[in-house]
Amino acid sequence: KQEVTQIPAALSVPEGENLVLNCSFTDSAIYNLQWFRQDPGKGLTSLLLIQSSQREQTSGRLNASLDKSSGRSTLYIAASQPGDSATYLCAVYGQNFVFGPGTRLSVLP
Amino acid sequence: NAGVTQTPKFQVLKTGQSMTLQCAQDMNHEYMSWYRQDPGMGLRLIHYSVGAGITDQGEVPNGYNVSRSTTEDFPLRLLSAAPSQTSVYFCASSQRQGGEKLFFGSGTQLSVL
């Protein structure tokens, strides 16, 4: 059974810092991986989708990498801003999506 | 463009009551799904559908029923609510099954007393 973990569970950084969020999965037989953002009381918003054949995807200040063989993905956020404060979740797709529990990020002004 | 619309946003039920959570999307997506989100556990798949008339079970289907009579709508029914079903429920859709970009509704917070 696929299991997805995210470390750390919570992270607090000052504005302007570059930061890395981690996602690990136990079964490398995945088709793709998706990173989401969730604001309090809201639904999830897809940020980046990486196919299994890709190594990374970029969108603005966000860069996500995928190392399928080691079962790891990272989400890099450059020059963090208070508006980046949210919970970030990763999900891997094999037969269905399996989600990690998320990393709660606080960016302090 | 409304995207994925869920109703209601909040609901309180007594044990044994039944109710239907509504989900509608206006993007002509083939794939629709229901998740529940519990603290520290991530989202877990309840049921999903790959098209009108086709549904299948996810990881935690017990106590829930679904149907898909149209492309747009995918309601989730709780037949006899239990306190263990207290959770936040999300509906999500994508163009097709296969791990495409998922679009989420804003969620329904359900409490079962």
Side-chain angles (χ1 to χ4, degrees):
Chain A
K1 178 186 173 185
Q2 178 74 269
E3 293 185 359
V4 181
T5 56
Q6 293 186 246
I7 294 173
L11 181 63
S12 185
V13 300
E15 181 177 5
E17 273 203 7
N18 303 323
L19 57 98
V20 174
L21 306 181
N22 296 292
C23 171
S24 298
F25 47 96
T26 55
D27 186 351
S28 61
I30 65 169
Y31 290 102
N32 55 54
L33 182 147
Q34 198 160 162
W35 281 94
F36 295 87
R37 168 186 174 136
Q38 184 176 25
D39 293 286
K42 302 284 182 64
L44 282 69
T45 300
S46 178
L47 298 172
L48 290 165
L49 172 64
I50 312 176
Q51 300 297 339
S52 61
S53 58
Q54 297 176 314
R55 299 286 292 183
E56 64 178 59
Q57 277 284 349
T58 298
S59 177
R61 294 183 294 108
L62 305 180
N63 176 274
S65 67
L66 174 62
D67 184 343
K68 226 178 68 160
S69 61
S70 67
R72 295 172 60 182
S73 176
T74 61
L75 179 66
Y76 175 83
I77 302 177
S80 59
Q81 303 171 358
D84 294 329
S85 297
T87 297
Y88 292 81
L89 298 92
C90 66
V92 297
Y93 187 85
Q95 294 180 325
N96 284 298
F97 279 107
V98 178
F99 283 80
T103 293
R104 189 172 68 253
L105 173 66
S106 297
V107 181
L108 306 175
Chain B
N1 202 351
V4 180
T5 302
Q6 283 185 243
T7 56
K9 290 191 180 300
F10 302 95
Q11 184 70 49
V12 179
L13 294 177
K14 295 182 180 179
T15 297
Q17 287 185 319
S18 63
M19 79 158 296
T20 299
L21 307 184
Q22 302 290 345
C23 175
Q25 53 89 11
D26 61 0
M27 297 173 282
N28 200 32
H29 284 173
E30 293 181 359
Y31 180 83
M32 297 185 74
S33 54
W34 278 101
Y35 293 87
R36 59 178 289 171
Q37 185 176 36
D38 300 294
M41 297 188 69
L43 279 77
R44 292 182 291 167
L45 181 64
I46 304 171
H47 285 285
Y48 64 97
S49 169
V50 298
I54 306 170
T55 63
D56 206 347
Q57 297 181 351
E59 180 185 358
V60 288
N62 293 340
Y64 307 95
N65 273 1
V66 293
S67 61
R68 183 103 178 264
S69 57
T70 67
T71 299
E72 295 78 19
D73 300 299
F74 190 45
L76 178 71
R77 299 182 188 85
L78 282 70
L79 304 177
S80 178
S84 62
Q85 294 179 304
T86 293
S87 188
V88 181
Y89 292 84
F90 289 100
C91 179
S93 72
S94 63
Q95 189 64 51
R96 285 171 294 275
Q97 189 184 27
E100 298 195 2
K101 180 178 178 179
L102 269 182
F103 294 80
F104 278 81
S106 58
T108 296
Q109 187 169 326
L110 176 67
S111 295
V112 183
L113 307 178

